[in-house]
Amino acid sequence: MGTLAAGTQAHSAVSLTTEPLTPIWHPSPNFGARRDGLTPSLIVLHYTAMTSAQAALERLCDPTCEVSAHYLIGSDGTLWQMVSEENRAWHAGAGEWHGQADINSRSIGIELDNTGFHPFSEPQLTVLEALLRQMSERWSIRPEHVIGHSDMAPGRKSDPGPRFPWQRLEHLNLAGQRGQSAPQSVRMDSFRALAQSAGYTADANDDTLLAAVRLRYRPWGKGPLEPADFAPLAE
């Protein structure tokens, strides 16, 4: 399967999301071959937590940092590509999703220029949505396999953070739909079973697992486990 063509012009945010995107090709040396013949089946979203997109771009392409991603989207909607989709970028690190490790070999990584504490811009989200549509079609990636870094690495990572608009992606069928029903009784073993069924299989204690699920679905949630924590995980 092909990847996005390397381009020379920045792509500004557009409303016509079926238009092919032409990223700025800015190659990173930090990549390798996907292992065991794997092809992308996941998309992992990150925030850069840096002062600017340019600073993030330099870090993602610095061989001494040993980190990269396939794409970086600036807050103004500028799209850079650093690693071919066919190759394994170094963006996810240790973690697991649905019982599968080596997320780097199974995924495409997208970095979003954001500190984690402020809203994501409309131009940035428009380009992200277009990119998700095109990659999902290209690699037959289902909406429920678009995840956050914090989903596959609970406790270790917090991106794309509490300000990321997951429900917007869900409404566009670009991320898995959350459930609505809450149980009558609240038990941690039942919550853990639901979370694992949803994909949260990485090793995590009860508090860390609850925090990771809340970060994705209800970042305002505080205190002990409650019925509302079950609802988004329900079938």
Side-chain angles (χ1 to χ4, degrees), residues 32-39 88 90 102 104-106:
R34 294 185 184 273
R35 297 168 180 166
D36 302 320
L38 292 169
T39 57
R88 180 181 185 271
W90 304 342
D102 191 6
N104 281 337
S105 286
R106 304 175 188 277

Side-chain angles (χ1 to χ4, degrees), residues 81-95:
Q81 183 174 5
M82 295 156 287
V83 176
S84 167
E85 289 178 9
E86 285 88 352
N87 288 322
R88 180 181 185 271
W90 304 342
H91 63 97

Side-chain angles (χ1 to χ4, degrees), residues 147-231:
I147 65 173
H149 201 184
S150 58
D151 294 324
M152 48 80 49
R156 187 175 69 84
K157 292 296 180 179
S158 59
D159 47 324
R163 303 301 297 269
F164 187 76
W166 282 109
Q167 286 183 284
R168 171 171 168 157
L169 294 190
E170 292 169 26
H171 179 73
L172 296 170
N173 200 33
L174 295 173
Q177 303 296 314
R178 67 187 65 200
Q180 300 295 330
S181 60
Q184 296 299 315
S185 62
V186 179
R187 293 174 45 184
M188 180 53 73
D189 59 344
S190 298
F191 175 77
R192 180 173 287 276
L194 273 177
Q196 289 178 342
S197 180
Y200 292 87
T201 56
D203 184 38
N205 63 33
D206 290 348
D207 289 343
T208 300
L209 177 62
L210 176 58
V213 172
R214 281 179 171 172
L215 187 58
R216 169 70 179 263
Y217 293 108
R218 36 191 322 268
W220 59 88
K222 304 293 182 184
L225 183 68
E226 57 181 299
D229 293 313
F230 288 73

Side-chain angles (χ1 to χ4, degrees), residues 19 21 38 46 51 54 59 96 98 101 110 112 127 130 136 139 152-153 156 161 171 182 186 200 202 213 217 224 227:
E19 177 185 333
L21 296 172
L38 292 169
H46 308 257
T51 56
Q54 189 61 42
R59 176 175 172 79
E96 186 177 296
H98 274 295
I110 302 174
L112 300 167
V127 171
S136 296
W139 296 102
M152 48 80 49
R156 187 175 69 84
H171 179 73
V186 179
Y200 292 87
V213 172
Y217 293 108

